[in-house]
Amino acid sequence: MKKIILSAIAIMAFAFSNAQETRFGIKGGLNLSNIVGGDIDDNKTLVGFHVGGLAEIHIVEKFYIQPELLFSTQGAKFDGPFGSDGDIKLNYINIPVLAKYYIVDKKFNVEAGPQLGILVSAKADGEDFKDYTRSTDFGFNLGAGYSFTDNFSVGLRYTIGLSPISDRDIDDSEEYYDSAKNSNLQLSLAYKF
């Protein structure tokens, strides 16, 4: 895990030194997460949050690269036996790297890019099950944002889970495709310095 974080920091530092203009910022907001696929039935959205930092690196004209480092609470709620509710709570350190393009005069933007998640904790109904989950999670982000001012912006992003949550062995591509994966919708507020 340390190697992954150090590699991400080294890549960001190299990008910062070669970029024409780099701005740093903080962001946070609401997560509406779920777990899709697998043998999961009757799951519901779990409300959580994300918070962290970002760098907006100007590449050319309206095109930017935006790496982020976020703490994110994710998971899902389930209908348990006898009418009781249960939940799965997965906490990650997420490292998305987004290609960002401003469509209208540095106001409206669209973004897309991969994300690496490093599992911090995993609990089902308060019981630790981190030993049964993968320590890394891969996803792909699609989103859009609007800048109210040069510093203050809002964003909406959907993260599609690409890797299974469970740490069990997967034998074939069909089983991989049908496995339980993260799904997360984020509403964020950001402030760039």
Side-chain angles (χ1 to χ4, degrees):
M1 184 165 85
K2 289 179 184 177
K3 289 180 183 178
I4 293 170
I5 292 173
L6 290 174
S7 296
I9 291 170
I11 290 168
M12 284 188 262
F14 176 75
F16 298 154
S17 65
N18 290 323
Q20 296 175 8
E21 177 189 337
T22 300
R23 296 184 66 196
F24 297 93
I26 55 173
K27 70 180 294 185
L30 179 71
N31 281 352
L32 299 174
S33 61
N34 210 329
I35 297 173
V36 295
D39 299 329
I40 299 171
D41 294 324
D42 299 326
N43 55 340
K44 299 174 187 169
T45 300
L46 181 70
V47 177
F49 70 92
H50 62 278
V51 64
L54 63 92
E56 187 181 69
I57 305 163
H58 186 210
I59 304 299
V60 292
E61 208 169 319
K62 297 179 179 184
F63 183 69
Y64 293 76
I65 298 292
Q66 183 169 301
E68 300 175 356
L69 184 64
L70 305 171
F71 175 77
S72 181
T73 62
Q74 298 169 207
K77 285 187 168 290
F78 297 94
D79 289 331
F82 310 110
S84 64
D85 286 334
D87 55 37
I88 292 179
K89 294 183 178 179
L90 303 165
N91 295 330
Y92 290 96
I93 299 293
N94 286 332
I95 307 167
V97 179
L98 304 161
K100 187 173 183 179
Y101 183 78
Y102 281 94
I103 295 172
V104 179
D105 300 328
K106 275 199 96 171
K107 292 289 184 193
F108 182 72
N109 70 74
V110 291
E111 60 187 22
Q115 173 176 290
L116 169 67
I118 301 166
L119 185 67
V120 176
S121 66
K123 294 190 178 189
D125 291 331
E127 298 293 322
D128 189 337
F129 77 104
K130 190 175 178 185
D131 292 340
Y132 304 102
T133 57
R134 293 182 190 261
S135 59
T136 56
D137 181 62
F138 296 99
F140 190 81
N141 296 293
L142 297 168
Y146 184 80
S147 298
F148 294 104
T149 68
D150 198 34
N151 300 89
F152 184 68
S153 63
V154 64
L156 184 66
R157 179 185 302 165
Y158 179 65
T159 306
I160 303 161
L162 299 176
S163 61
I165 294 171
S166 173
D167 198 26
R168 67 182 176 82
D169 290 334
I170 293 177
D171 297 327
D172 57 40
S173 59
E174 185 175 328
E175 189 177 358
Y176 184 87
Y177 178 76
D178 292 337
S179 63
K181 298 175 183 70
N182 281 304
S183 171
N184 191 32
L185 182 68
Q186 291 183 343
L187 177 62
S188 304
L189 294 174
Y191 184 83
K192 289 178 278 194
F193 306 109

